[in-house]
């Protein structure tokens, strides 16, 4: 009824001048200001020319498939193709032979398999002749073929040796790595459907500096296969130091003309290294280091299956939410923590420390947005408690999931039930495309949840007034948002 009355009023307004022309002799000269009023750009439609996001896109950028060495060794057989089909809403078969499907498809997904030994464990499992010449790989082949606990022990051994830089040489061959990377980008490219579903190209650089101290980073490409194929992903076989990794990011952009960014995760498993004021090899950070980190790492993965690293209860004893899904036994290899390490592992402390470092170095290295991911090693990204498929195949739904070990290093264990069903990333991007999503990540127009899809948006500034909550954004010249659209968005939130 309101819309109809509104249209009638408009009709009488437009008819007034022609009717007057019929009664009188001349309508007179057209008023240019009146023309501008009704034929301004973008015009009557409030959606024409819209250049900003009006709803978040949901997905994650940290999922492992059977192409990750530790995942395959642990029994994962869901590959990148199946993982992307699942994210698009299809039903696939889990690693334990069960049908699985999302309650609601994702808008985007990035398969982030480990660049170290990418895709090579399948060759070991299949008994590739070149791989079987190495006695360690031959033993792994035999144990993985047995399955069950034997395969799980191989997975733990792989993680430990990778952290110590002792992965068998046949798994580190650069030519093999490049061939597999080209196959990976081909699969991802086949699933990218701009406007409907975005398949981002990326990988995980898995630095376990010093033996299990988690300094992992996920690399997110803005580009497609044509540029991504021009450089082999960086591995810890070259270096485990973040600053060397940043040099690779720069070299990639220089060589290809493309763009990449990196996302650190699991500071809670870094044993004090993730947000330290020294480099992992003990050198004080300087302005160059701070500038590089600020440039390449605009985001931080604050929650995932291996714990939430927003804040530790010992650092915020009055905050009842600081004790949510805390993993604080040790590093990735469950090497126990020493006093003081926790101070340099959690996001809130890093945000505060970054402000202090900005005063000292001129750049804030810890000015990041927050996202959430699963880090699932099943090829199945799941965050719903009634549809949760764990981190490894052993923790998929079944009678043993309540008693099994997610990690077991010589008796230092973390139980499956300690796994969190986290998390997801919301991206405020105007379009569901690689470029638009990547640009929003770079701008930090993102947030993370522990799995729920909550619509949330903030506008930051110093001179807002109470009435701005209901519109009035035209006062703020720094914003390019149309006040009509902002009002519409806020109305939808009520």
């Amino acid at each position: 009824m309101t819309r109809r009355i509104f249209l009638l009023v408009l009709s009488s307004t437009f008819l007034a001048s022609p009717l007057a022309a019929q009664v009188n002799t001349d309508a007179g000269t057209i008023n240019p200001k009146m023309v501008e009023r009704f034929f301004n750009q973008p015009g009557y439609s409030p959606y024409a020319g819209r250049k900003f996001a009006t709803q978040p896109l949901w997905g994650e950028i940290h999922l492992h498939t059977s192409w990750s060495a530790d995942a395959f060794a642990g029994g994962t057989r869901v590959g990148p193709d199946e993982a992307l089909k699942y994210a698009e809403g299809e039903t696939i078969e889990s690693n334990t032979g069960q049908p699985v499907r999302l309650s609601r498809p994702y808008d985007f997904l990035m398969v982030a398999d480990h660049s170290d030994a990418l895709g090579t464990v399948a060759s070991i499992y299949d008994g590739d002749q070149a791989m079987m010449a190495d006695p360690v790989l031959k033993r792994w082949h035999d144990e993985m073929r047995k399955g069950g606990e034997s395969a799980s022990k191989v997975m733990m051994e792989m993680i430990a040796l990778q952290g110590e830089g002792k992965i068998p040489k046949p798994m580190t061959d650069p030519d093999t790595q490049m061939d597999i990377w080209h196959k990976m980008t081909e699969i991802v490219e086949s699933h990218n459907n701009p406007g409907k579903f975005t398949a981002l190209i990326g990988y995980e650089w898995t630095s376990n500096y010093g033996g299990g101290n988690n300094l992992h980073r996920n690399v997110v490409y803005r580009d497609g296969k044509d540029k991504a194929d021009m450089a082999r992903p960086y591995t810890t076989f070259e270096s485990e130091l973040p600053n060397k990794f940043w040099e690779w990011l720069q070299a990639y952009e220089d060589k290809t003309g493309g763009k990449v960014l990196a996302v650190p995760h699991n500071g809670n498993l870094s044993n004090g290294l993730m947000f330290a004021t020294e480099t992992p090899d003990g050198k004080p950070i300087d302005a160059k280091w701070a500038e590089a980190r600020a440039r390449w790492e605009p985001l931080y993965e604050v929650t995932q299956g291996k714990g939430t690293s927003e804040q530790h209860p010992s650092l915020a004893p009055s905050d009842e939410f600081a004790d949510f899904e805390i993993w604080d036994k040790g590093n990735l290899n469950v090497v126990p923590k020493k006093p003081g390490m926790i101070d340099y592992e959690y996001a809130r402390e890093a945000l505060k420390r970054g402000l202090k470092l900005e005063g000292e170095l001129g750049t804030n290295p810890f000015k990041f947005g927050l996202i959430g991911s699963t880090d699932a090693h099943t090829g199945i990204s799941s965050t719903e408690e009634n549809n949760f498929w764990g981190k490894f195949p052993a923790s998929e739904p079944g009678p043993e999931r309540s008693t099994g070990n997610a990690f077991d290093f010589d008796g230092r264990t973390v139980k499956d039930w300690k796994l969190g069903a986290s998390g997801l990333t919301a991206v405020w991007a105007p379009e569901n495309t690689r470029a638009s999503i990547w640009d929003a990540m770079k701008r930090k127009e993102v947030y993370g949840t522990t799995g729920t899809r909550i619509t949330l948006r903030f506008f930051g500034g110093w001179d807002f007034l109470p009435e701005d909550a209901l519109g009035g954004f035209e006062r703020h010249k720094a914003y390019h948002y149309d006040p009509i659209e902002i009002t519409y968005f806020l109305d939808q939130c009520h």
Side-chain angles (χ1 to χ4, degrees):
M1 180 64 70
T2 302
R3 178 177 293 178
R4 184 175 297 172
I5 292 172
F6 180 68
L7 291 174
L8 285 173
V9 171
L10 280 179
S11 297
S12 64
T13 301
F14 277 106
L15 288 171
S17 184
L19 285 173
Q22 293 176 13
V23 175
N24 300 315
T25 57
D26 187 10
T29 304
I30 295 175
N31 186 338
K33 291 185 177 180
M34 184 63 74
V35 174
E36 286 183 11
R37 176 184 172 191
F38 291 110
F39 295 95
N40 62 325
Q41 296 297 320
Y44 172 74
S45 174
Y47 312 108
R50 184 171 63 194
K51 298 179 181 179
F52 62 94
T54 58
Q55 62 182 4
L57 301 176
W58 289 96
E60 75 152 314
I61 59 169
H62 191 181
L63 176 68
H64 295 272
T65 75
S66 61
W67 288 33
S68 284
D70 53 351
F72 191 100
T76 296
R77 298 298 178 267
V78 175
D81 185 53
E82 295 87 354
L84 286 160
K85 287 179 179 178
Y86 166 84
E88 292 172 275
E90 293 189 29
T91 299
I92 65 169
E93 185 176 289
S94 80
N95 303 287
T96 52
Q98 304 177 67
V100 55
R101 182 179 180 178
L102 278 169
S103 65
R104 171 182 158 195
Y106 288 164
D107 298 303
F108 65 91
L109 182 84
M110 187 179 89
V111 171
D113 281 317
H114 302 292
S115 58
D116 288 6
L118 178 68
T120 59
V121 180
S123 298
I124 299 170
Y125 183 84
D126 292 338
D128 179 86
Q129 188 174 359
M131 297 290 185
M132 294 304 95
D134 185 285
V136 174
L137 300 184
K138 176 61 169 68
R139 175 171 59 81
W140 285 357
H141 163 82
D142 296 340
E143 295 301 312
M144 284 192 293
R145 282 288 181 176
K146 294 178 184 177
E149 186 177 344
S150 297
S152 295
K153 287 183 178 178
V154 171
M155 178 186 67
M156 292 296 106
E157 186 176 349
M158 281 186 182
I159 293 173
L161 290 181
Q162 190 271 344
E164 297 168 5
K166 297 179 181 178
I167 287 287
K169 292 296 183 183
M171 297 176 69
T172 66
D173 180 69
D175 292 335
T176 300
Q177 292 283 290
M178 195 62 162
D179 289 343
I180 294 174
W181 176 244
H182 288 170
K183 293 176 183 177
M184 170 67 81
T185 58
E186 181 178 355
I187 292 171
V188 176
E189 200 73 27
S190 71
H191 286 272
N192 191 50
N193 188 0
K196 185 176 180 181
F197 177 81
T198 293
L200 292 161
I201 293 175
Y203 67 88
E204 179 181 317
W205 176 70
T206 317
S207 173
N208 291 317
Y209 190 89
N213 296 324
N214 190 310
L215 294 175
H216 304 179
R217 267 84 168 168
N218 288 344
V219 179
V220 186
Y221 291 71
R222 191 180 189 269
D223 316 311
K225 178 178 174 61
D226 56 340
K227 291 182 178 179
D229 281 356
M230 294 172 67
R232 180 171 57 87
Y234 198 62
T235 71
T236 62
F237 308 143
E238 282 89 21
S239 177
E240 290 188 309
L241 293 173
N243 57 297
K244 295 296 182 182
F245 165 67
W246 299 331
E247 290 176 6
W248 180 90
L249 299 177
Q250 181 66 67
Y252 169 83
E253 291 197 350
D254 291 344
K255 179 178 182 179
T256 68
K259 292 183 179 181
V260 285
L261 60 81
V263 185
H265 55 270
N266 277 132
N268 60 309
L269 298 180
S270 69
N271 272 9
L273 295 185
M274 181 57 76
F275 300 117
T277 53
E278 292 183 344
T279 62
D281 52 348
K283 300 176 182 177
I285 63 175
D286 55 18
K288 181 180 178 181
W289 185 96
E291 290 168 2
R293 180 152 186 169
R295 175 184 176 183
W296 297 114
E297 300 182 359
L299 305 176
Y300 175 64
E301 184 186 274
V302 72
T303 187
Q304 60 138 280
K306 297 198 299 295
T308 296
S309 51
E310 178 190 0
Q311 184 61 294
H312 192 274
S314 68
L315 302 174
S318 62
D319 184 352
E320 60 197 58
F321 296 106
D323 197 18
F324 181 77
E325 293 185 351
I326 295 296
W327 279 35
D328 57 3
K329 281 190 173 183
N331 66 7
L332 188 62
N333 292 357
V334 202
V335 175
K337 296 188 184 300
K338 296 179 181 179
M341 286 183 173
I342 286 175
D343 295 358
Y344 298 93
E345 297 181 348
Y346 288 82
R348 281 197 223 166
E349 298 304 307
L351 292 171
K352 291 187 290 185
R353 186 168 293 110
L355 295 173
K356 182 175 183 294
L357 289 171
E358 183 175 15
E360 298 172 357
L361 303 175
T363 301
N364 183 347
F366 304 139
K367 187 178 181 180
F368 45 73
L370 301 176
I371 69 166
S373 301
T374 67
D375 192 20
H377 281 56
T378 59
I380 300 169
S381 174
S382 62
T383 63
E384 300 162 306
E385 292 183 354
N386 68 339
N387 193 26
F388 180 49
W389 291 78
K391 183 174 179 64
F392 294 109
S395 54
E396 287 189 3
E400 306 298 326
R401 79 184 308 190
S402 63
T403 57
N405 294 328
F407 294 91
D408 186 351
F409 294 96
D410 298 325
R412 304 187 306 275
T413 63
V414 177
K415 290 292 185 181
D416 274 329
W417 60 264
K418 285 283 287 182
L419 292 169
S422 289
L424 283 179
T425 293
V427 177
W428 285 97
E431 300 175 322
N432 192 350
T433 62
R434 284 172 175 162
S436 187
I437 290 173
W438 191 95
D439 290 346
M441 289 181 176
K442 184 69 172 178
R443 295 192 304 267
K444 309 181 183 73
E445 290 191 48
V446 300
Y447 61 96
T449 78
T450 54
T452 53
R453 304 192 194 190
I454 303 170
T455 299
L456 182 67
R457 199 169 200 179
F458 286 99
F459 294 91
W462 297 105
D463 58 346
F464 288 113
L465 300 175
E467 55 266 31
D468 288 331
L470 300 176
F473 277 72
E474 67 273 14
R475 294 192 311 104
H476 299 277
K477 301 302 182 183
Y479 294 96
H480 60 272
Y481 302 107
D482 187 317
I484 295 175
E485 290 290 350
I486 294 296
T487 302
Y488 170 78
F489 171 77
L490 291 168
D491 285 344
Q492 295 297 100
C493 293
H494 290 326

